[in-house]
């Protein structure tokens, strides 16, 4: 009985640790997003049009990244064609 109690306590501690890591990861992501926005906003004040060029380059980089991911993704013949 005591072993089951310790096991449940350990599992709940692990779940809490995972939740904490997820919150910290989300907070870091939000901080990075604010940093990037602040940098782009500041640059846009010094060089008008910077934000538009930044977003255009970001879109181009995302398309390139997705194309590379699709190209390098191993084909799984067991999956339906629309999920490959």
């Amino acid at each position: 009985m005591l072993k089951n109690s310790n096991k449940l306590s350990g599992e709940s501690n692990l779940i809490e640790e995972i939740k904490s890591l997820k919150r910290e990861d989300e907070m870091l992501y939000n901080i990075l997003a604010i940093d990037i926005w602040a940098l782009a906003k500041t640059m846009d004040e010094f060089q008008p049009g910077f934000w538009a060029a930044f977003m255009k380059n970001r879109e181009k980089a995302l398309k390139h990244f997705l194309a590379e991911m699709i190209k390098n993704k191993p084909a799984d013949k067991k999956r339906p064609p629309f999920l490959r």
Side-chain angles (χ1 to χ4, degrees):
M1 178 98 165
L2 187 59
K3 287 183 180 180
N4 285 341
S5 175
N6 286 340
K7 184 178 179 184
L8 290 176
S9 176
E11 288 177 1
S12 66
N13 287 342
L14 183 61
I15 290 171
E16 286 302 316
E17 192 67 31
I18 291 171
K19 287 180 182 178
S20 173
L21 288 172
K22 285 181 180 180
R23 284 191 302 269
E24 291 173 12
D25 183 57
E26 184 178 345
M27 188 184 323
L28 178 62
Y29 179 82
N30 289 337
I31 290 170
L32 289 173
I34 290 170
D35 285 346
I36 291 171
W37 176 84
L39 177 64
K41 179 73 173 157
T42 303
M43 287 301 297
D44 203 40
E45 291 175 4
F46 291 112
Q47 182 180 348
F50 177 85
W51 182 252
F54 174 82
M55 292 306 288
K56 186 183 284 187
N57 287 338
R58 183 173 181 259
E59 181 181 5
K60 190 185 299 183
L62 178 63
K63 286 180 181 178
H64 177 72
F65 173 76
L66 291 175
E68 286 294 316
M69 290 296 292
I70 290 170
K71 184 176 83 173
N72 295 332
K73 184 177 178 183
D76 185 1
K77 301 297 181 187
K78 294 179 184 176
R79 296 183 74 171
F82 58 88
L83 293 176
R84 289 185 199 157

